[in-house]
Amino acid sequence: MLKQNLDEVERRISEACKRAGRKREEVTLIAVSKTKPLEAVEEVLNLGILEFGENKVQELVDKYERIKSPVHWHMIGHLQTNKVKYIVDKVKLIHSVDSLKLANQIQKEAEKKQVVVDVLVEVNIAGEETKFGVTREETLPLIEEIAKLPNVHVCGLMTSAPFVENPEEDRIYFRQLHQLFVDISQKNIDNIDMKILSMGMTNDFEVAIEEGSTMVRIGTAIFGARKYKVEGEA
Ligand SMILES: *Cc1c(COP(=O)(O)O)cnc(C)c1O
């Protein structure tokens, strides 16, 4: 069942790459396993996927400790400064850095554990009130400040586009973020490597790939719909 889902996602990624004249290897698939049980992660792991995304610190740490294989964990959700210490030495990449305060905290904890942490700066490209992330204008100034932190390594940008019925409506935002990515990359800032553009989810990953995404974060299309507990229910 998960194999079929994964095969179908793979097929769609390949098709989108082909349409865009890009190589399949240019796009990394992150399987977003949030709310899903360990068995589902292990099933997908056995199908050859190594990159997994979680959006909550507690759940990430829990899965990290219980899965013995060397999984690459991606923190894709909003990260509170007081929780940085639990994950700095456990994650492959933090996608959601959206303030200097958070970057400073990552620096502090990374220095303690003597690691360098790869991060992306999260951009709220459509300026949605409900979303985390910096504005387009704030992105470069923030990156210039993070560049001074020796244990924090900016590898690119991340966004979550608005939820829309027709993913074509988000093409403009993916295009804008890609342009920002290219503009910042051309500044050749020390300690900044603009090589990862994390955009595209179940609903819109094909358009994101066509617009230059190098990392797609896909949950529902691989694991099926998520069930969230309703407050008050057992
Ligand atoms: C949940 C989540 C995803 C995956 O969403 P799907 O629509 O299930 O593919 C991707 N990115 C972030 C930041 C998420 O929180």
Side-chain angles (χ1 to χ4, degrees), residues 32 34 55 76-77 158 160 201-203 217-221 226:
V32 177
K34 63 188 187 196
N55 71 336
I76 61 174
M158 178 271 220
S160 297
M201 307 172 27
T202 290
N203 222 37
R217 311 178 307 267
I218 302 183
T220 309
R226 287 177 292 274

Short mmCIF file of all heavy atoms in Angstrom, two decimals, residues 32 34 55 76-77 158 160 201-203 217-221 226, ligand 1:
data_model
loop_
_atom_site.label_atom_id
_atom_site.label_comp_id
_atom_site.label_asym_id
_atom_site.label_seq_id
_atom_site.Cartn_x
_atom_site.Cartn_y
_atom_site.Cartn_z
N VAL A 32 7.24 12.99 4.82
CA VAL A 32 6.78 13.66 6.04
C VAL A 32 5.91 12.70 6.86
O VAL A 32 4.78 12.41 6.50
CB VAL A 32 6.02 14.97 5.71
CG1 VAL A 32 5.49 15.62 6.99
CG2 VAL A 32 6.94 15.94 4.97
N LYS A 34 4.95 12.90 10.13
CA LYS A 34 4.28 13.44 11.33
C LYS A 34 2.93 12.76 11.56
O LYS A 34 2.20 12.53 10.60
CB LYS A 34 4.12 14.95 11.21
CG LYS A 34 3.22 15.39 10.07
CD LYS A 34 3.25 16.90 9.90
CE LYS A 34 2.22 17.33 8.86
NZ LYS A 34 2.44 18.70 8.39
N ASN A 55 7.33 17.67 12.27
CA ASN A 55 7.11 19.09 12.57
C ASN A 55 7.03 19.38 14.08
O ASN A 55 6.82 20.52 14.46
CB ASN A 55 5.87 19.61 11.85
CG ASN A 55 4.58 19.07 12.41
OD1 ASN A 55 4.57 18.00 13.03
ND2 ASN A 55 3.49 19.78 12.21
N ILE A 76 10.80 20.27 10.12
CA ILE A 76 10.15 21.13 9.15
C ILE A 76 9.13 22.07 9.78
O ILE A 76 8.61 22.96 9.12
CB ILE A 76 9.46 20.30 8.02
CG1 ILE A 76 8.37 19.39 8.60
CG2 ILE A 76 10.49 19.46 7.27
CD1 ILE A 76 7.56 18.67 7.53
N GLY A 77 8.86 21.88 11.09
CA GLY A 77 7.83 22.69 11.74
C GLY A 77 8.43 23.85 12.51
O GLY A 77 9.65 23.94 12.68
N MET A 158 13.23 27.89 2.51
CA MET A 158 12.08 27.00 2.58
C MET A 158 10.80 27.83 2.58
O MET A 158 10.80 28.96 3.10
CB MET A 158 12.17 26.19 3.88
CG MET A 158 11.02 25.24 4.13
SD MET A 158 9.63 25.98 5.04
CE MET A 158 9.19 24.61 6.10
N SER A 160 6.18 27.29 2.69
CA SER A 160 4.94 26.54 2.50
C SER A 160 3.98 27.49 1.80
O SER A 160 3.63 28.53 2.34
CB SER A 160 4.34 26.13 3.85
OG SER A 160 5.21 25.26 4.54
N MET A 201 4.55 20.44 -1.50
CA MET A 201 3.94 19.45 -0.62
C MET A 201 2.99 18.61 -1.48
O MET A 201 2.96 18.76 -2.70
CB MET A 201 3.20 20.15 0.53
CG MET A 201 4.12 21.12 1.23
SD MET A 201 3.49 22.24 2.50
CE MET A 201 2.08 21.47 3.20
N THR A 202 2.22 17.73 -0.85
CA THR A 202 1.35 16.84 -1.62
C THR A 202 0.53 17.57 -2.68
O THR A 202 0.43 17.14 -3.82
CB THR A 202 0.38 16.09 -0.65
OG1 THR A 202 1.14 15.15 0.11
CG2 THR A 202 -0.71 15.34 -1.42
N ASN A 203 0.01 18.71 -2.28
CA ASN A 203 -0.92 19.42 -3.15
C ASN A 203 -0.27 20.15 -4.32
O ASN A 203 -0.93 20.44 -5.32
CB ASN A 203 -1.67 20.44 -2.29
CG ASN A 203 -3.11 20.46 -2.63
OD1 ASN A 203 -3.70 19.42 -2.92
ND2 ASN A 203 -3.70 21.66 -2.61
N ARG A 217 8.55 18.15 0.30
CA ARG A 217 8.18 17.57 1.59
C ARG A 217 6.78 16.96 1.46
O ARG A 217 5.79 17.69 1.44
CB ARG A 217 8.19 18.66 2.67
CG ARG A 217 9.47 19.53 2.68
CD ARG A 217 9.37 20.60 3.75
NE ARG A 217 8.16 21.41 3.65
CZ ARG A 217 8.06 22.55 2.98
NH1 ARG A 217 9.11 23.07 2.38
NH2 ARG A 217 6.91 23.19 2.94
N ILE A 218 6.72 15.64 1.36
CA ILE A 218 5.44 15.01 1.03
C ILE A 218 4.98 14.05 2.11
O ILE A 218 5.69 13.11 2.47
CB ILE A 218 5.56 14.30 -0.34
CG1 ILE A 218 5.96 15.35 -1.39
CG2 ILE A 218 4.25 13.61 -0.70
CD1 ILE A 218 6.06 14.84 -2.79
N GLY A 219 3.80 14.33 2.67
CA GLY A 219 3.23 13.48 3.70
C GLY A 219 2.06 12.67 3.16
O GLY A 219 2.16 11.47 2.92
N THR A 220 0.94 13.35 2.96
CA THR A 220 -0.32 12.70 2.61
C THR A 220 -0.22 11.74 1.41
O THR A 220 -0.75 10.63 1.46
CB THR A 220 -1.40 13.77 2.33
OG1 THR A 220 -1.41 14.68 3.43
CG2 THR A 220 -2.76 13.16 2.17
N ALA A 221 0.45 12.14 0.36
CA ALA A 221 0.51 11.30 -0.84
C ALA A 221 1.27 10.01 -0.60
O ALA A 221 1.11 9.04 -1.34
CB ALA A 221 1.13 12.08 -2.01
N ARG A 226 -3.88 12.40 7.38
CA ARG A 226 -3.58 12.37 8.81
C ARG A 226 -4.86 12.53 9.61
O ARG A 226 -5.74 13.30 9.24
CB ARG A 226 -2.61 13.51 9.17
CG ARG A 226 -1.21 13.30 8.70
CD ARG A 226 -0.35 14.49 9.04
NE ARG A 226 -0.72 15.67 8.27
CZ ARG A 226 -0.25 15.95 7.05
NH1 ARG A 226 0.60 15.13 6.46
NH2 ARG A 226 -0.64 17.02 6.42
C1 LIG B 1 2.75 18.52 7.06
C2 LIG B 1 3.78 19.28 6.31
C3 LIG B 1 4.15 18.90 5.01
C4 LIG B 1 3.51 17.74 4.25
O1 LIG B 1 2.18 18.03 3.93
P1 LIG B 1 1.32 17.10 2.96
O2 LIG B 1 0.30 18.02 2.40
O3 LIG B 1 0.73 16.02 3.80
O4 LIG B 1 2.23 16.56 1.92
C5 LIG B 1 5.13 19.64 4.38
N1 LIG B 1 5.72 20.70 4.99
C6 LIG B 1 5.39 21.09 6.23
C7 LIG B 1 6.07 22.26 6.83
C8 LIG B 1 4.41 20.40 6.94
O5 LIG B 1 4.09 20.79 8.17
#
